[in-house]
Structure formats: structure tokens, C-alpha cells
Amino acid sequence: MIMMKKRVVALGLAFSLAIPASTGFAASSTSSVQDLLGMQEESLPNVKILATGGTIAGSAASNTATTGYTAGAIGVETLIDAVPELTDIATISGEQIANVGSPNIDTDVLLTLAKRVNVLLAQDDTDGIVITHGTDTLEETAFFLHMTVKSDKPVVVVGAMRPATAISADGPMNLYNAVKVAGAEKSVGKGVLVVLNDRIGSARMISKTNTTMLDTFQSEEYGFLGAIAGGEIHYYQEMLRKHTTETPFDVSELTELPQVDILYGYQNMPSYLFEAAAANGADGIVTAGSGNGSLSSIGSEVVKKVIEKGIPVVRASRVGNGIVTETSNGIAADSLNPQKARILLMLALTETDDPEVIEQYFNEF
Ligand code: SIN
């Protein structure tokens, strides 16, 4: 249940506050006076903004520059101050977790973020969390949190494609929408959400699909959960795969994560990529194979050997959409893309090295 702080908002037209005592209203309670004046109590949720950097906090040399800028140049207080309208929809506070371009989000940041989100959401004075993040690896962090947050309260990950200094920067409206979604009772229990470009996606299904365009975040195969239109949140779908409180993953005591590498499949893929990963300490491997996760004959042979050495291999696809079906040679990634399959395999290996259990996670999460 979201606990919200009360504030009083005037909804009626302004008129004289002079109320004749003879009417009897002068002696009535404050709330009666508020009722008479058309004022009513509106609840404001407490939303925490955790900033990690990215283009939403990016600064360019000119206001027409939308590439070649510094991601993660602006601090969380500046981001919040740039959207004064946030205080109309939530009681806001900010924390700086990191300030980097998202390719530099590492294990430390992931674990710090997940632990901090869990601590904050366990407090009565937090109703929802917004995480500002670079778009390049946003889906990886969002899916990591989707698997590791232990609360039903809303968590929304947001980014922007244009730096804060650009004409028509998309960050301010994306941030406003993210706070609105994070503070909404109807967002409870939906898993970790991604909000950009007026759309609400599930961390499980959404992906960056275009290098530079504003509408890059898509949920092509399974659709968005909802949208923000006319200032209102509209939901149409539920995430049926297990997430947050339904997963076994507990990061509270973790200081590191297993090493999982992704190997890209292509015509005549050689075996030395697998050998290099194993030699460099990979605890697990995800392949981004062609089509339904297929690899060259050499690749398939070496996968068998890697599995025999006790290193689990998850077969995903480089296609970007669709389900990789079950295989006897490795674990199928189901509909997770390679970068999200890597996140799930890392987390799975914190719990078990039993391939059957890992396969079950891929079927259920
Ligand atoms: C990044 O991912 O940090 C840079 C790109 C972006 O945020 O859009």
C-alpha cells in the first residue's frame, strides 16, 4: 500500500475569504472551510530519484549537438531543479549513485543500486523510485533490478536520447513521466518499469532498438505495458513472468557477481572465442547465435566441451526478437536477448550450478 503525504490544493475559483460569522461557517473546522472554498486534500507520493549518469545527465558544447557529448556530466540536484513541475506530482529527493556513461555501469554500481533500492523501498517514507540511467545499457540494469528488487513498490528506470543541453531535450518530460509512474498506486506490483517517450515498458521485454532516434525503446514482440497520454497513466498489459519478490535472488550480502561473457555467433565462428572466455575465468557463457540460436559446427562442438568442463552455456539469438527453443546443447534463453540472458545467468550462478535449475529460471523469469 503506498503511503502518501497529504497536502492541500485549491481547486475552486478564487473568491473572498471573508466569511460572515452569521453564516455559521466561521466557527466550523478547517476542513469545512476548505470544502467551502473548493479546496480538497490531494496526496503526494514520496519518490526518490537515484541518478547514475547517461545522456539524460549529458552536456554538449552546443544546443544542437545530439552526439559526441559527455554523458553523466550533470548532477541529480540539477536534473531535479530543471523540472520544477515534479513538486506538483511528488515529494522528491535525489541521490547520486554514479555519474557515468552506461557502458561503464559495472558490478559495483549494479549491486550498490539494487541494495539501495531495497533499503529505500523497505522504508515507509518511500513510495516509489526513479533511476536515471544512460540508454545504451539501460535494459540490463532494469532487468537486473527486475530480478533483485524485493518489493512491490514501483521502480522506474528512465533515460533520454538527447543531452540536457539540446534543443527539445527529451529528458525533462521523460523524468516527469517516470516520477508520475513511480508515484502511482496503479504501478504497484508490475515489476521494474522503463519509461521513455510517453511509453511504459517492462524491464523484461523492452530493448533499445535504434542507435540515435528518440523512439529507440521498443517492446516489439510482446508490446508495452502502457502509456502516458493526456497527463494520465494508462495500463493495458501485465507481466506474467515471475519478477522481484517472486525470484530467489538476494543481493544483500553480495560484493561481486559471477563472470558471464557473451560470444557473438557468425558464419564459420571459430572455437578460440570459447577457449579465450574459459581461459579468462568465465563462470558462464551466453551465445548470441544466428536465427534460433544456431552456431557453426565448430561452435556447437566447442559448446559441448565447455559444458563438460562445468561452465554453463545459454543459447540466445542475435536476431533481437523471438524465442530460442529448447536444446540438448546448452540452455535456451527463451525470449531474453543476449544481454538480459547474461544478467539472468549471472544471478542464477549466485544460487546454483545445476543446469536444470538454471533452465527452470529461464523458463519462469
Ligand atoms: C549512455 O548510455 O550513457 C549514453 C547514451 C545515452 O544515455 O543515451
mmCIF file of all heavy atoms in Angstrom, residues 52-58 66 69-72 100-105 133-138 159-163 170 196 208 211 216-217, ligand 1:
data_model
loop_
_atom_site.group_PDB
_atom_site.id
_atom_site.type_symbol
_atom_site.label_atom_id
_atom_site.label_comp_id
_atom_site.label_asym_id
_atom_site.label_seq_id
_atom_site.Cartn_x
_atom_site.Cartn_y
_atom_site.Cartn_z
ATOM 1 N N THR A 52 22.388 7.831 -12.061
ATOM 2 C CA THR A 52 23.603 7.065 -12.401
ATOM 3 C C THR A 52 24.366 7.660 -13.580
ATOM 4 O O THR A 52 25.402 7.133 -13.958
ATOM 5 C CB THR A 52 23.257 5.596 -12.743
ATOM 6 O OG1 THR A 52 22.549 5.564 -13.988
ATOM 7 C CG2 THR A 52 22.440 4.918 -11.661
ATOM 8 N N GLY A 53 23.848 8.717 -14.196
ATOM 9 C CA GLY A 53 24.537 9.331 -15.332
ATOM 10 C C GLY A 53 23.788 9.139 -16.626
ATOM 11 O O GLY A 53 22.560 9.082 -16.642
ATOM 12 N N GLY A 54 24.529 9.048 -17.736
ATOM 13 C CA GLY A 54 23.897 8.858 -19.044
ATOM 14 C C GLY A 54 23.589 10.177 -19.736
ATOM 15 O O GLY A 54 23.892 11.263 -19.225
ATOM 16 N N THR A 55 22.977 10.062 -20.895
ATOM 17 C CA THR A 55 22.654 11.245 -21.706
ATOM 18 C C THR A 55 21.643 12.146 -21.018
ATOM 19 O O THR A 55 21.654 13.362 -21.201
ATOM 20 C CB THR A 55 22.114 10.778 -23.076
ATOM 21 O OG1 THR A 55 23.192 10.138 -23.747
ATOM 22 C CG2 THR A 55 21.617 11.925 -23.927
ATOM 23 N N ILE A 56 20.761 11.573 -20.229
ATOM 24 C CA ILE A 56 19.773 12.397 -19.516
ATOM 25 C C ILE A 56 20.515 13.409 -18.637
ATOM 26 O O ILE A 56 20.008 14.502 -18.370
ATOM 27 C CB ILE A 56 18.792 11.505 -18.709
ATOM 28 C CG1 ILE A 56 17.594 12.326 -18.232
ATOM 29 C CG2 ILE A 56 19.473 10.786 -17.557
ATOM 30 C CD1 ILE A 56 16.421 11.472 -17.753
ATOM 31 N N ALA A 57 21.717 13.069 -18.217
ATOM 32 C CA ALA A 57 22.567 13.984 -17.446
ATOM 33 C C ALA A 57 23.751 14.442 -18.299
ATOM 34 O O ALA A 57 24.822 14.751 -17.788
ATOM 35 C CB ALA A 57 23.066 13.292 -16.184
ATOM 36 N N GLY A 58 23.537 14.472 -19.611
ATOM 37 C CA GLY A 58 24.634 14.785 -20.531
ATOM 38 C C GLY A 58 24.709 16.264 -20.865
ATOM 39 O O GLY A 58 23.708 16.973 -20.849
ATOM 40 N N THR A 66 23.685 16.492 -30.660
ATOM 41 C CA THR A 66 22.979 15.355 -30.051
ATOM 42 C C THR A 66 23.836 14.087 -30.067
ATOM 43 O O THR A 66 23.363 13.008 -29.723
ATOM 44 C CB THR A 66 21.638 15.085 -30.773
ATOM 45 O OG1 THR A 66 21.900 14.908 -32.155
ATOM 46 C CG2 THR A 66 20.651 16.215 -30.558
ATOM 47 N N TYR A 69 28.807 14.118 -27.058
ATOM 48 C CA TYR A 69 28.772 14.937 -25.838
ATOM 49 C C TYR A 69 29.278 14.093 -24.660
ATOM 50 O O TYR A 69 29.561 12.906 -24.803
ATOM 51 C CB TYR A 69 27.321 15.387 -25.573
ATOM 52 C CG TYR A 69 26.362 14.237 -25.665
ATOM 53 C CD1 TYR A 69 26.147 13.402 -24.574
ATOM 54 C CD2 TYR A 69 25.717 13.934 -26.867
ATOM 55 C CE1 TYR A 69 25.307 12.313 -24.671
ATOM 56 C CE2 TYR A 69 24.879 12.849 -26.966
ATOM 57 C CZ TYR A 69 24.680 12.043 -25.866
ATOM 58 O OH TYR A 69 23.869 10.952 -25.965
ATOM 59 N N THR A 70 29.332 14.714 -23.494
ATOM 60 C CA THR A 70 29.743 13.988 -22.292
ATOM 61 C C THR A 70 28.507 13.477 -21.566
ATOM 62 O O THR A 70 27.676 14.274 -21.101
ATOM 63 C CB THR A 70 30.531 14.925 -21.352
ATOM 64 O OG1 THR A 70 31.542 15.560 -22.119
ATOM 65 C CG2 THR A 70 31.144 14.154 -20.193
ATOM 66 N N ALA A 71 28.369 12.145 -21.492
ATOM 67 C CA ALA A 71 27.250 11.551 -20.737
ATOM 68 C C ALA A 71 27.627 11.556 -19.262
ATOM 69 O O ALA A 71 28.780 11.305 -18.915
ATOM 70 C CB ALA A 71 26.983 10.136 -21.223
ATOM 71 N N GLY A 72 26.669 11.862 -18.397
ATOM 72 C CA GLY A 72 26.961 11.849 -16.965
ATOM 73 C C GLY A 72 27.756 13.057 -16.525
ATOM 74 O O GLY A 72 28.726 12.934 -15.785
ATOM 75 N N VAL A 100 28.068 8.163 -14.753
ATOM 76 C CA VAL A 100 28.881 7.584 -15.838
ATOM 77 C C VAL A 100 28.013 7.333 -17.073
ATOM 78 O O VAL A 100 26.789 7.277 -16.985
ATOM 79 C CB VAL A 100 29.509 6.235 -15.396
ATOM 80 C CG1 VAL A 100 30.514 6.437 -14.288
ATOM 81 C CG2 VAL A 100 28.438 5.222 -14.987
ATOM 82 N N GLY A 101 28.673 7.187 -18.202
ATOM 83 C CA GLY A 101 28.002 6.659 -19.379
ATOM 84 C C GLY A 101 27.659 5.199 -19.095
ATOM 85 O O GLY A 101 28.439 4.489 -18.439
ATOM 86 N N SER A 102 26.499 4.737 -19.585
ATOM 87 C CA SER A 102 26.032 3.426 -19.111
ATOM 88 C C SER A 102 26.873 2.224 -19.550
ATOM 89 O O SER A 102 26.810 1.182 -18.895
ATOM 90 C CB SER A 102 24.557 3.221 -19.455
ATOM 91 O OG SER A 102 24.372 3.022 -20.826
ATOM 92 N N PRO A 103 27.712 2.313 -20.617
ATOM 93 C CA PRO A 103 28.610 1.178 -20.850
ATOM 94 C C PRO A 103 29.565 0.960 -19.673
ATOM 95 O O PRO A 103 30.154 -0.113 -19.536
ATOM 96 C CB PRO A 103 29.370 1.584 -22.123
ATOM 97 C CG PRO A 103 28.439 2.514 -22.820
ATOM 98 C CD PRO A 103 27.750 3.278 -21.731
ATOM 99 N N ASN A 104 29.732 1.977 -18.824
ATOM 100 C CA ASN A 104 30.616 1.842 -17.658
ATOM 101 C C ASN A 104 29.880 1.445 -16.384
ATOM 102 O O ASN A 104 30.483 1.438 -15.301
ATOM 103 C CB ASN A 104 31.377 3.149 -17.419
ATOM 104 C CG ASN A 104 32.369 3.412 -18.534
ATOM 105 O OD1 ASN A 104 33.035 2.486 -19.010
ATOM 106 N ND2 ASN A 104 32.440 4.634 -19.000
ATOM 107 N N ILE A 105 28.609 1.143 -16.481
ATOM 108 C CA ILE A 105 27.911 0.597 -15.298
ATOM 109 C C ILE A 105 28.504 -0.790 -15.044
ATOM 110 O O ILE A 105 28.464 -1.660 -15.920
ATOM 111 C CB ILE A 105 26.384 0.496 -15.540
ATOM 112 C CG1 ILE A 105 25.772 1.878 -15.760
ATOM 113 C CG2 ILE A 105 25.696 -0.278 -14.404
ATOM 114 C CD1 ILE A 105 25.540 2.717 -14.532
ATOM 115 N N HIS A 133 19.390 6.900 -15.989
ATOM 116 C CA HIS A 133 20.390 5.946 -16.489
ATOM 117 C C HIS A 133 20.658 6.221 -17.964
ATOM 118 O O HIS A 133 19.759 6.623 -18.707
ATOM 119 C CB HIS A 133 19.800 4.531 -16.342
ATOM 120 C CG HIS A 133 20.784 3.410 -16.355
ATOM 121 N ND1 HIS A 133 21.440 3.006 -17.496
ATOM 122 C CD2 HIS A 133 21.222 2.584 -15.367
ATOM 123 C CE1 HIS A 133 22.237 1.988 -17.209
ATOM 124 N NE2 HIS A 133 22.127 1.709 -15.923
ATOM 125 N N GLY A 134 21.868 5.961 -18.404
ATOM 126 C CA GLY A 134 22.163 6.007 -19.834
ATOM 127 C C GLY A 134 21.358 4.956 -20.578
ATOM 128 O O GLY A 134 21.085 3.875 -20.044
ATOM 129 N N THR A 135 20.995 5.278 -21.813
ATOM 130 C CA THR A 135 20.102 4.365 -22.535
ATOM 131 C C THR A 135 20.818 3.140 -23.105
ATOM 132 O O THR A 135 20.185 2.130 -23.382
ATOM 133 C CB THR A 135 19.391 5.091 -23.695
ATOM 134 O OG1 THR A 135 20.379 5.599 -24.601
ATOM 135 C CG2 THR A 135 18.512 6.207 -23.188
ATOM 136 N N ASP A 136 22.146 3.242 -23.296
ATOM 137 C CA ASP A 136 22.843 2.161 -24.006
ATOM 138 C C ASP A 136 22.716 0.807 -23.300
ATOM 139 O O ASP A 136 22.568 -0.225 -23.954
ATOM 140 C CB ASP A 136 24.325 2.514 -24.192
ATOM 141 C CG ASP A 136 24.526 3.581 -25.263
ATOM 142 O OD1 ASP A 136 23.541 3.943 -25.940
ATOM 143 O OD2 ASP A 136 25.664 4.054 -25.430
ATOM 144 N N THR A 137 22.831 0.808 -21.985
ATOM 145 C CA THR A 137 22.711 -0.471 -21.254
ATOM 146 C C THR A 137 21.557 -0.426 -20.242
ATOM 147 O O THR A 137 21.517 -1.248 -19.324
ATOM 148 C CB THR A 137 24.022 -0.827 -20.524
ATOM 149 O OG1 THR A 137 24.216 0.094 -19.437
ATOM 150 C CG2 THR A 137 25.231 -0.782 -21.446
ATOM 151 N N LEU A 138 20.654 0.516 -20.462
ATOM 152 C CA LEU A 138 19.531 0.697 -19.521
ATOM 153 C C LEU A 138 18.754 -0.601 -19.295
ATOM 154 O O LEU A 138 18.376 -0.941 -18.173
ATOM 155 C CB LEU A 138 18.628 1.806 -20.069
ATOM 156 C CG LEU A 138 17.475 2.304 -19.222
ATOM 157 C CD1 LEU A 138 17.171 3.770 -19.547
ATOM 158 C CD2 LEU A 138 16.225 1.489 -19.406
ATOM 159 N N GLY A 159 15.692 7.258 -19.080
ATOM 160 C CA GLY A 159 16.858 7.860 -19.726
ATOM 161 C C GLY A 159 16.397 8.894 -20.724
ATOM 162 O O GLY A 159 15.226 9.304 -20.729
ATOM 163 N N ALA A 160 17.315 9.310 -21.566
ATOM 164 C CA ALA A 160 16.973 10.269 -22.619
ATOM 165 C C ALA A 160 17.933 10.058 -23.773
ATOM 166 O O ALA A 160 19.052 9.586 -23.578
ATOM 167 C CB ALA A 160 17.084 11.695 -22.098
ATOM 168 N N MET A 161 17.489 10.404 -24.956
ATOM 169 C CA MET A 161 18.340 10.268 -26.132
ATOM 170 C C MET A 161 19.071 11.558 -26.456
ATOM 171 O O MET A 161 20.085 11.553 -27.142
ATOM 172 C CB MET A 161 17.506 9.810 -27.330
ATOM 173 C CG MET A 161 17.051 8.363 -27.235
ATOM 174 S SD MET A 161 18.437 7.214 -27.045
ATOM 175 C CE MET A 161 19.157 7.300 -28.685
ATOM 176 N N ARG A 162 18.523 12.684 -25.992
ATOM 177 C CA ARG A 162 19.197 13.967 -26.260
ATOM 178 C C ARG A 162 19.778 14.502 -24.956
ATOM 179 O O ARG A 162 19.107 14.445 -23.921
ATOM 180 C CB ARG A 162 18.207 14.981 -26.825
ATOM 181 C CG ARG A 162 17.759 14.622 -28.216
ATOM 182 C CD ARG A 162 16.820 15.663 -28.772
ATOM 183 N NE ARG A 162 16.417 15.303 -30.121
ATOM 184 C CZ ARG A 162 15.292 15.671 -30.688
ATOM 185 N NH1 ARG A 162 14.428 16.417 -30.022
ATOM 186 N NH2 ARG A 162 14.997 15.301 -31.916
ATOM 187 N N PRO A 163 20.994 15.055 -25.005
ATOM 188 C CA PRO A 163 21.583 15.590 -23.770
ATOM 189 C C PRO A 163 20.744 16.733 -23.210
ATOM 190 O O PRO A 163 19.965 17.363 -23.929
ATOM 191 C CB PRO A 163 22.968 16.069 -24.220
ATOM 192 C CG PRO A 163 22.906 16.186 -25.702
ATOM 193 C CD PRO A 163 21.870 15.218 -26.176
ATOM 194 N N ASP A 170 14.732 15.481 -24.542
ATOM 195 C CA ASP A 170 13.609 14.602 -24.126
ATOM 196 C C ASP A 170 13.672 14.240 -22.642
ATOM 197 O O ASP A 170 12.707 13.720 -22.079
ATOM 198 C CB ASP A 170 13.556 13.336 -24.989
ATOM 199 C CG ASP A 170 14.894 12.602 -25.083
ATOM 200 O OD1 ASP A 170 15.950 13.250 -24.953
ATOM 201 O OD2 ASP A 170 14.884 11.379 -25.291
ATOM 202 N N LEU A 196 10.111 5.895 -21.274
ATOM 203 C CA LEU A 196 10.703 6.860 -22.209
ATOM 204 C C LEU A 196 9.670 7.138 -23.283
ATOM 205 O O LEU A 196 8.874 6.241 -23.640
ATOM 206 C CB LEU A 196 11.950 6.312 -22.917
ATOM 207 C CG LEU A 196 13.294 6.374 -22.169
ATOM 208 C CD1 LEU A 196 13.610 5.049 -21.546
ATOM 209 C CD2 LEU A 196 14.399 6.783 -23.111
ATOM 210 N N LYS A 208 16.561 -1.320 -26.348
ATOM 211 C CA LYS A 208 16.981 -0.221 -27.223
ATOM 212 C C LYS A 208 17.146 -0.788 -28.628
ATOM 213 O O LYS A 208 17.878 -1.762 -28.824
ATOM 214 C CB LYS A 208 18.293 0.391 -26.714
ATOM 215 C CG LYS A 208 18.721 1.620 -27.484
ATOM 216 C CD LYS A 208 19.868 2.363 -26.827
ATOM 217 C CE LYS A 208 20.140 3.650 -27.612
ATOM 218 N NZ LYS A 208 21.188 4.479 -27.007
ATOM 219 N N THR A 211 20.116 3.325 -32.816
ATOM 220 C CA THR A 211 21.308 3.947 -32.217
ATOM 221 C C THR A 211 21.071 5.377 -31.739
ATOM 222 O O THR A 211 21.621 5.780 -30.704
ATOM 223 C CB THR A 211 22.458 3.962 -33.250
ATOM 224 O OG1 THR A 211 21.953 4.541 -34.459
ATOM 225 C CG2 THR A 211 22.972 2.559 -33.516
ATOM 226 N N THR A 216 13.677 4.994 -29.727
ATOM 227 C CA THR A 216 14.511 3.794 -29.776
ATOM 228 C C THR A 216 14.021 2.654 -28.877
ATOM 229 O O THR A 216 14.218 1.488 -29.194
ATOM 230 C CB THR A 216 15.973 4.165 -29.422
ATOM 231 O OG1 THR A 216 16.749 2.983 -29.410
ATOM 232 C CG2 THR A 216 16.089 4.847 -28.085
ATOM 233 N N PHE A 217 13.374 2.979 -27.749
ATOM 234 C CA PHE A 217 12.953 1.890 -26.841
ATOM 235 C C PHE A 217 11.652 1.274 -27.322
ATOM 236 O O PHE A 217 10.620 1.939 -27.416
ATOM 237 C CB PHE A 217 12.857 2.380 -25.383
ATOM 238 C CG PHE A 217 14.210 2.365 -24.748
ATOM 239 C CD1 PHE A 217 15.069 3.443 -24.902
ATOM 240 C CD2 PHE A 217 14.671 1.243 -24.071
ATOM 241 C CE1 PHE A 217 16.356 3.404 -24.376
ATOM 242 C CE2 PHE A 217 15.957 1.189 -23.542
ATOM 243 C CZ PHE A 217 16.794 2.276 -23.695
HETATM 244 C C1 SIN B 1 24.803 6.166 -22.176
HETATM 245 O O1 SIN B 1 24.204 5.104 -22.301
HETATM 246 O O2 SIN B 1 25.309 6.516 -21.106
HETATM 247 C C2 SIN B 1 24.953 7.088 -23.326
HETATM 248 C C3 SIN B 1 23.811 7.071 -24.261
HETATM 249 C C4 SIN B 1 22.508 7.512 -23.662
HETATM 250 O O3 SIN B 1 22.323 7.699 -22.480
HETATM 251 O O4 SIN B 1 21.581 7.710 -24.481
#
